[in-house]
Structures are given as C-alpha cells and as structure tokens.
Amino acid sequence: MKFRAAVLNKINEPMTLDTLDMAPLAPTDVLVKIKASGLCHTDLEVIQGSLAYPLPIVLGHEGAGVVEAVGADVTQVKPGDHVICSWNPHCGHCFYCERDLPILCEPFARHQPKGFLLDGRSRMKRGGEQVHHYSVTSTHAEYTIVPESGAIVVPEELPFDRACIIGCGVMTGVGAAVRKAKVAAGSSVVVIGCGAVGLNVLQGAKLVDAGKIIAVDVGKAKLDRAVQFGATHSIDAASKDVLDQIKALTGGRGADYVFESAGSKNTFRLSVEAVRPGGQVVWLGKINVNEDVSFRWGSLMGEKRIVRSSYGDARPRRDFPWLAEEYLKGSLKLDELITNRITLEQINEGFASLARGEGIRTVVMFD
C-alpha cells in the first residue's frame, strides 16, 4: 500500500512529504491508520543531530489511531480498535523482559537504534530505497506498522489528539511520580523544569495526594502554568537562592522527591542538592550522550537514591487505559497540554516552534 509521510533525509534540514510503500504485514504486525501525532523534543534531537539515527527516517513516537489490519498471529487487537502506539514495544521473553524491565528489552535495544522493528526489518520504502522506522512507531505518517505489543487499546470516547500525547509525555511524567518513584501521600516533591514532562510529573504528584508540590522553572508564565497542573508552590530558577528556597519549604532538609526534567548540567546538579538525606532523585531530562556532568561529592551522601527514568516505569497495557480513564473522569489534564494543532504539511513549522521553546505540545491532525 502507498501512504504519505514526513521523511527526514538530512540533519538540520526540513523534512519532505513523500509517498512511501508499506510492505505486507508480518504475522505479529499491526497496521494503524494514524489520526493524531504529537511533536516531542526527542524527535527534535534527531532532526538537530544530537541523537543519531540512520537516514532517511520517519519520525514520530506519540501517535494514536485506528487499527486497519492485523497479522495472522495477532490476538490482542483487531481492526477498528482505537489504539495508542507505544514507543517501547517489547518481546516479553528476553533477559530483561523476564526481569520486569521491558524498557530494556533486548530486541528493542538491538534493532530500534538501527531504524528497524523488533524483527530487525523495515516495512517502508521510497521507490526502491529503504526508509527507517523511529522508535518502532514512526507516527508522523498517514499509516504505520507497529508490533502487537506496541498497539494499546484505549476507550473510543478518548479523542485522538489527547490519546496520542499519553504515549510519551504524559506517561513519562505521570509514571515517574506514580510508578517509578511511588510518591507517598503527604510527601514533598520538587519538579525542576516544567515543560511537557515536568507538568505531567506535577499531575502525577497531585494524583497521589502529595503534600508540598514545588515547581522550579524560569519566568512567571511557566510557573503560573505549573500551578494549574498541580504545583502548590513555585520558585523562579533565575533566583540566586533556589536551593535555600527549596529547603525553607521543606523543613530545612530538602524534598522527599526531586524530579529533574529540564535537561541541563546545572539542573542535574541542583537535583541532588535539593533532595533530603534518604530521599529519591529521578532524572528525566537529557543532554548530549557524550557530555560529562559533575557533582559536589558531598551532595551525593546521606543515603540518597538516584534513578534514571525514560518511560515512567510504563506498562502500556496497564497504564494507557488507566491514564485514559483518569482523563475521562476529570482527574488528569490533557486538553490544556495541547497548545497547537497543525496539518502534516505544517510539520516543519511545528518543529521550528518547538525548537524556540513555544507552547507545550503541538499535535499533527490527520483528519
């Protein structure tokens, strides 16, 4: 079959809208007609060259749509199902999957950096040229093929634009608080960096009834927005006494939980200074994989626990429907996360806006 997709051909150049050919379905493949696809900063890292992937490639890993067809061995979804595409499909039986660490699934780790699905093959071509998949999803396209474990059924009442953002930013942030850190009710939480992921950490902390939820970011507009998403206190990161302000709000000890979601050397350093002895630090932000980050050795003392979280300890078949239900009953904000809706033809403008730091989430709408 033929379909249109946004294809990245060269680093730091606009994507082209091309007609591609999709291969026939393998036994465990699911063909999804994409209805909405979010623009995420990780996509931008590939465009800018700080995250290396083979080219040409179809980006996009926050997608939602309708199942069009399934392979012969698929049992968990059927044509007509509304699904969110998970960017971390997993085999279920490798060394890490058997140890309840699907984020480290070995076939995923082996094949997805090469631009392939879990079986080590691409399904897309442009003429006779192979086109690569991005994070086993490639949702900036009219259609995509994902493994069965990457197609997660959600209620039909959930609008597609809200559904797609659950697939990365919402799951990563809410999951970091609720699943990874297991924030306790009444505890103190600091969130450093209140972009799309940080705002969802705030939402997760609110969902579990944390006590003081302290947002740290630059500028009144971002901090006011953080309050809308659950922060009880806010601190301007441009202040010279950010650490003193955090300690003043937490009995002089530091916070029980600190989430870093800004992605800078300074904020990684601040995160371990701001957590109390015995507290938990969760790193969500990213910098270039080859950069060094330094810490004051004393800040690491005191039985502090530090963990990196890439997907909020997600179990998509458990968690995507849960997040959908929280939205449908009014406990989770999704509408407010979407600040722009665009067409596929506007995707380069959308990424330029993301690079300028504008808005929270831009979503490509396919209808």
Side-chain angles (χ1 to χ4, degrees):
M1 65 170 288
K2 294 186 180 296
F3 64 103
R4 285 199 319 151
V7 181
L8 179 68
N9 301 285
K10 292 184 179 180
I11 299 303
N12 284 318
E13 289 193 7
M15 287 174 281
T16 57
L17 297 187
D18 297 327
T19 298
L20 307 184
D21 293 298
M22 191 77 84
L25 296 180
T28 58
D29 283 351
V30 176
L31 177 67
V32 180
K33 183 175 184 179
I34 296 296
K35 296 289 189 177
S37 182
L39 307 192
C40 179
H41 200 275
T42 311
D43 295 338
L44 186 62
E45 292 175 18
V46 181
I47 294 170
Q48 295 175 335
S50 62
L51 185 59
Y53 274 84
L55 304 177
I57 192 168
V58 176
L59 299 176
H61 61 284
E62 276 191 353
V66 179
V67 174
E68 188 90 351
V70 300
D73 294 344
V74 171
T75 61
Q76 294 185 309
V77 297
K78 64 185 185 302
D81 282 344
H82 288 207
V83 296
I84 298 172
C85 299
S86 169
W87 63 257
N88 181 223
H90 51 278
C91 71
H93 52 74
C94 70
F95 177 90
Y96 289 109
C97 284
E98 288 184 346
R99 285 157 179 78
D100 201 26
L101 287 168
I103 190 70
L104 301 178
C105 172
E106 290 177 311
F108 176 83
R110 184 182 311 121
H111 295 304
Q112 75 87 18
K114 300 176 184 178
F116 298 138
L117 299 188
L118 296 185
D119 62 359
R121 296 186 295 123
S122 171
R123 305 292 191 272
M124 300 183 291
K125 285 188 176 180
R126 181 174 53 188
E129 178 186 31
Q130 178 176 266
V131 177
H132 296 90
H133 297 256
Y134 177 59
S135 205
V136 202
T137 44
S138 291
T139 59
H140 296 332
E142 293 174 331
Y143 288 88
T144 192
I145 284 179
V146 297
E148 182 177 17
S149 62
I152 311 302
V153 178
V154 291
E156 292 187 8
E157 308 94 286
L158 180 66
F160 289 112
D161 53 351
R162 280 71 138 193
C164 75
I165 62 176
I166 285 176
C168 182
V170 175
M171 183 70 251
T172 300
V174 175
V178 178
R179 303 299 193 198
K180 176 60 74 174
K182 297 180 173 60
V183 170
S187 58
S188 57
V189 173
V190 168
V191 179
I192 304 170
C194 298
V197 171
L199 291 174
N200 283 297
V201 177
L202 295 171
Q203 293 210 86
K206 184 178 179 181
L207 279 173
V208 295
D209 296 319
K212 289 181 179 176
I213 306 174
I214 304 163
V216 180
D217 209 322
V218 178
K220 184 176 186 300
K222 288 185 177 180
L223 293 174
D224 287 347
R225 189 167 65 195
V227 171
Q228 295 173 7
F229 280 83
T232 61
H233 299 76
S234 61
I235 297 173
D236 194 324
S239 306
K240 294 181 179 180
D241 60 345
V242 173
L243 185 57
D244 289 339
Q245 292 186 61
I246 291 172
K247 290 194 172 182
L249 290 168
T250 55
R253 291 180 294 273
D256 298 315
Y257 305 89
V258 176
F259 297 86
E260 193 288 334
S261 58
S264 78
K265 294 180 180 182
N266 289 338
T267 52
F268 282 119
R269 187 180 177 95
L270 174 62
S271 67
V272 295
E273 297 280 358
V275 72
R276 66 165 173 80
Q280 172 82 65
V281 177
V282 180
W283 286 335
L284 298 164
K286 293 179 290 183
I287 59 174
N288 188 292
V289 294
N290 294 315
E291 285 192 60
D292 293 332
V293 180
S294 63
F295 301 93
R296 183 178 64 84
W297 182 245
S299 70
L300 305 177
M301 298 296 98
E303 304 301 312
K304 297 177 180 180
R305 291 161 292 146
I306 302 170
V307 65
R308 164 71 186 170
S309 178
S310 296
Y311 207 11
D313 227 12
R315 303 296 182 272
R317 292 204 188 281
R318 172 196 69 187
D319 291 328
F320 288 5
W322 160 61
L323 292 168
E325 290 300 331
E326 291 294 336
Y327 167 75
L328 291 171
K329 71 182 185 183
S331 302
L332 183 72
K333 295 181 184 294
L334 297 181
D335 302 30
E336 296 85 350
L337 289 167
I338 301 172
T339 47
N340 197 18
R341 293 172 177 84
I342 61 174
T343 64
L344 188 61
E345 288 76 11
Q346 298 170 304
I347 193 165
N348 289 309
E349 300 165 36
F351 275 114
S353 175
L354 177 60
R356 294 190 295 267
E358 298 170 355
I360 306 173
R361 261 300 184 266
T362 292
V363 174
V364 177
M365 304 297 297
F366 285 85
D367 287 336

